[in-house]
Structures are given as structure tokens and as C-alpha cells.
Amino acid sequence: MKAEIIAVGTELLTGYVVNTNGAWLAQVLMDIGIATYYQETVGDNAQRMKDTLSLASSRSDLIIMMGGLGPTRDDISKEVMADFLQAELKVDANQLSRIEDYFERGHRKVSKHDYQQAWYIEGGQALPNDVGLALGSFYETENNQIFVLLPGPPFEMKAMVTQYLIPLLQAKHAENHGQVFDSDYLNFFGIGEASLADAIDDIVMDQSNPTIAMYSKPKLVTVRLTAAAETLEEAQALNQKVQDQILDRLNPYFIGQGQDYSLAQNVVDQLKKHKQSLAVAESLTGGLIAETLTQIPGASQVIKGAFVVYQVEAKENILGIDAETITQYTVYSHELVKDMALKSLQKCVSDLAIAVSGVAGPGPDQGVEAGTVYLAIADGKGYLESKCIHIDHKPRQTVREITCLEALNLVREYYTK
């Protein structure tokens, strides 16, 4: 099945909004064995939208249009697709009731444009929107082409795809091809993509089912395994066999399994497993470490607190760093980050603490080159270690992001030593 994704919105063309939906949706489709061959972006113009649909229908089996389902005048995706398919639009009674209830609770009147959010293409199937008001639509033609309408807001689109669209597409694919797909994601930290590829090159070369793909981010590499079989259990077994081979070679770098599994998730999981808590003291990252950790559900069980001590006065007044330490060793030193870790450990009464200080850039500070970062970790039993890393020739934000990952990795290494 060849898929084509069409993102609708003039704001996407002008650059005011970045289309992250397309990348996410293509990955999700690949997980169930559907490859995306084309991605298009078109403005809120009926004729250009029809032209884009015409081109897509000439070359693709699955056409997904995202955006333009809302209550404003330029939200015309439903009307355009219905006209293209020579079909009518129909009101879904359940969604209409949700819309009316929503406005009644807010003591507001429903406008005629709000009602259009309850439309779907007649002859097809309504895709419920459990987190918003704009209904989606799933329509299959007589020649088995599938047309889908999805909302543009990412959280609405992702919920609709995950809960409703993917099960429908899986059923169609199994019905047409007699196969089901299973995907596993293996996440690694501290090994480069080239080194990882070299380590498993023979496995990749010898393997056709499951297929193996690699994706790289700073300091992180994800390996995706996708297996096809007659049953889900058989596909899972194929993936497990290759997964075991890969982990046998790369286990020291393995942080966890899952498409969205992160180093922060690993840290939270480790803290929960050991029934311990963590405190954070940050200078150059300005709260990024704490923000990254507290995005993880359940982080409140293990994250005691965080200190953003950006200037010298904050380090002294909030954390209680001795002024003589800073005078003698400067804010860019092993001594400083060790003291930051110890002070935050004491103030939060936590089991562990991590601390960072350094020069994010773009230029040097106090004779210290940009990208020079000091990190420390301490526990309540006398363990205290620090290290200095050099993140050379990277933009300021990248230095901050890599520092965040390196700090989290201190915790991972603490539990894996």
C-alpha cells in the first residue's frame, strides 16, 4: 500500500508553523507496513487542494489529508474532499452532541461554523475526536483507494490516528495481504550511528524479515525492527530473535525499548526501581534538565526538586556555595559542580543529586572555551564524582541539550556500574 500525506494550511507554506505531523504520521504508518511515498503541503485554496488530491489519487493507494477541519472560513478540507469524491457530507450525531455540550458548559452559543466540525463524508466512516471537536473521516472507494481526513492540531491528530485510524488500516492490510506487522524500537546512548552500524552490519546484511532501520539524534541512536507474519505472535517472535542478537553486542549502550523511550524515562524508571529520589542543580542549562525529567509521567514520585542558579549570587545565596570556592576555582570547575551537587542533595534531602555548569557559547567566558562543561553526581553515602566534557563547534542550544543528556547519563551510569 502506497501512502501519500497532504498537509493543509497556508501557515505551513509561509513557515509560521512547522509540519511535524507529517514526520510522525509517516513513522506510525511504517510501523504497520505502510510506506509513505509522497508528502505534499498545500494552502487553504479549494482549487489547489483539488489539484493536489487529483495528483495523489493518480499514484497512491492511501491519501491522508491533515488540517482544515476546524470552525473557521478557511477550514474547507471536508467540503473539498467530498466534492472531489462526488460524495455528500453527513452530520455525526455523537459528535454533534459533544459540540453542543462543550459550548453549553462554557455558556456560549454554537455558531453555524462550529456545527461543520461534526461532518464526515457520507458512505465512509466517522473518526471520533476524543480530545477535540473536529471529526475525522475514513472513506474507501470502489477501487479500494482510501481517503482520510485528520485534524491539524498535533495532539488531536495523534490521538485519532492511534485510537481509530491505525486499527482500521491494520484490518484492511491484513484483509488484503494476509499479513500483520510488528515494530520494536531499541534505544542506545553513548555510541555513534556509524559505530552502531558497524557493530551490527552482518545482522543487517543477513536480515530481510524483520527489516532494520537506524535513526540518529545527538548522542542517541534508535534501531527499528519491523517484522511481517501471518499472526502478531509470529511477527513478535521474529523481532525478538533479532533483538536478542543486537542486544548481545550492544547491551552496555542500551537504555530502553519503545518508540518514545528516552534517557529521561530511563532515569525515572531507575529511580523508581531503586526507590530513590533525585535533586538537580543547573547553571548553563537553565532548568532544561528539570524540565526534561518532569515531562515524564510519574516523575513527581522521584524528583525532589531543582535549583536554577545561573549567576554567581544565586549559587551563593540559594545553594549556599562558599564564595571562596568560586574565587579560588571559578564557576567552571570540578570543585564548583561537586559543591553544587552536595548542596542540592542536602537541601532537598534526596538520595542522589546532579549538577552542571559551563559555557554554552557562542563565545568563551573568563578564558574558558564555549562548549566546556562540568558535571557532577553525588549520593548520600559519600559517592561524589565529576567530569569535564568538551562539546566543540556546536550551537549554543545544542550544547545545552547535549549537557542535559550527559547529566542524565550520570544517573544511568550510577545504576549500571
Side-chain angles (χ1 to χ4, degrees), residues 19-333:
N19 177 24
T20 59
N21 285 351
W24 182 87
L25 182 56
Q27 290 177 7
V28 172
L29 291 174
M30 181 59 69
D31 286 347
I32 60 170
I34 299 175
T36 299
Y37 280 61
Y38 307 95
Q39 290 205 38
E40 302 286 341
T41 303
V42 62
D44 303 297
N45 177 278
Q47 188 56 55
R48 289 195 288 273
M49 289 167 69
K50 286 181 183 177
D51 291 343
T52 305
L53 282 170
S54 179
L55 176 61
S57 67
S58 71
R59 62 190 185 185
S60 300
D61 309 302
L62 170 64
I63 297 99
I64 301 176
M65 182 174 276
M66 300 182 298
L69 307 188
T72 63
R73 289 186 179 275
D74 60 355
D75 290 318
I76 56 175
S77 293
K78 290 180 180 178
E79 295 97 319
V80 169
M81 184 173 281
D83 183 49
F84 177 80
L85 295 170
Q86 297 182 340
E88 299 294 325
L89 289 168
K90 185 176 181 179
V91 171
D92 180 79
N94 290 332
Q95 193 69 14
L96 180 62
S97 177
R98 289 190 71 243
I99 292 170
E100 291 174 337
D101 288 346
Y102 174 82
F103 279 90
E104 184 177 344
R105 288 195 304 272
H107 305 289
R108 292 187 293 156
K109 184 179 179 180
V110 186
S111 73
K112 64 178 182 180
H113 295 295
D114 289 309
Y115 282 115
Q116 72 189 39
Q117 295 182 96
W119 294 343
Y120 71 100
I121 299 176
E122 188 173 21
Q125 184 172 339
L127 296 177
N129 189 337
D130 294 340
V131 295
L133 300 181
L135 196 68
S137 196
F138 182 99
Y139 186 93
E140 186 170 8
T141 66
E142 292 182 355
N143 62 352
N144 300 122
Q145 267 189 319
I146 297 173
F147 290 81
V148 176
L149 285 168
L150 298 174
F155 71 97
E156 294 186 32
M157 184 274 297
K158 290 179 180 180
M160 188 178 292
V161 168
T162 303
Q163 296 173 45
Y164 300 105
L165 178 60
I166 292 303
L168 276 172
L169 292 176
Q170 285 178 310
K172 289 291 180 184
H173 199 280
E175 177 184 315
N176 294 334
H177 302 281
Q179 284 185 321
V180 296
F181 289 83
D182 177 65
S183 290
D184 282 341
Y185 291 81
L186 310 178
N187 301 288
F188 301 89
F189 180 86
I191 182 171
E193 184 179 16
S195 296
L196 189 147
D198 286 343
I200 63 170
D201 184 63
D202 60 313
I203 299 175
V204 175
M205 295 300 294
D206 291 342
Q207 199 62 54
S208 59
N209 186 25
T211 58
I212 303 173
M214 282 169 278
Y215 309 96
S216 179
K217 295 179 182 179
K219 308 292 289 186
L220 293 166
V221 183
T222 298
V223 176
R224 191 196 73 221
L225 309 176
T226 301
E230 292 184 2
T231 68
L232 179 61
E233 291 75 16
E234 290 173 335
Q236 290 172 334
L238 289 170
N239 275 337
Q240 187 64 53
K241 181 179 179 181
V242 177
Q243 176 183 316
D244 291 343
Q245 290 179 282
I246 293 173
L247 292 184
D248 185 56
R249 302 181 186 185
L250 298 171
N251 193 60
Y253 305 100
F254 180 62
I255 63 169
Q257 185 174 348
Q259 184 174 3
D260 300 314
Y261 196 87
S262 64
L263 193 54
Q265 181 72 65
N266 178 274
V267 167
V268 171
D269 288 347
Q270 291 282 11
L271 289 165
K272 286 181 178 179
K273 177 182 176 181
H274 292 87
K275 295 181 171 56
Q276 292 187 323
S277 59
L278 176 72
V280 181
E282 306 184 51
S283 184
L284 83 153
T285 45
L288 181 61
I289 299 171
E291 163 67 11
T292 302
L293 284 167
T294 54
Q295 285 182 3
I296 305 300
S300 60
Q301 300 172 36
V302 293
I303 306 302
K304 271 292 188 75
F307 303 90
V308 178
V309 285
Y310 209 60
Q311 294 189 351
V312 169
E313 291 82 358
K315 292 176 175 66
E316 294 174 353
N317 298 333
I318 296 175
L319 276 183
I321 302 296
D322 194 322
E324 291 185 6
T325 300
I326 296 175
T327 300
Q328 183 175 355
Y329 299 105
T330 81
V331 292
Y332 308 127
S333 64

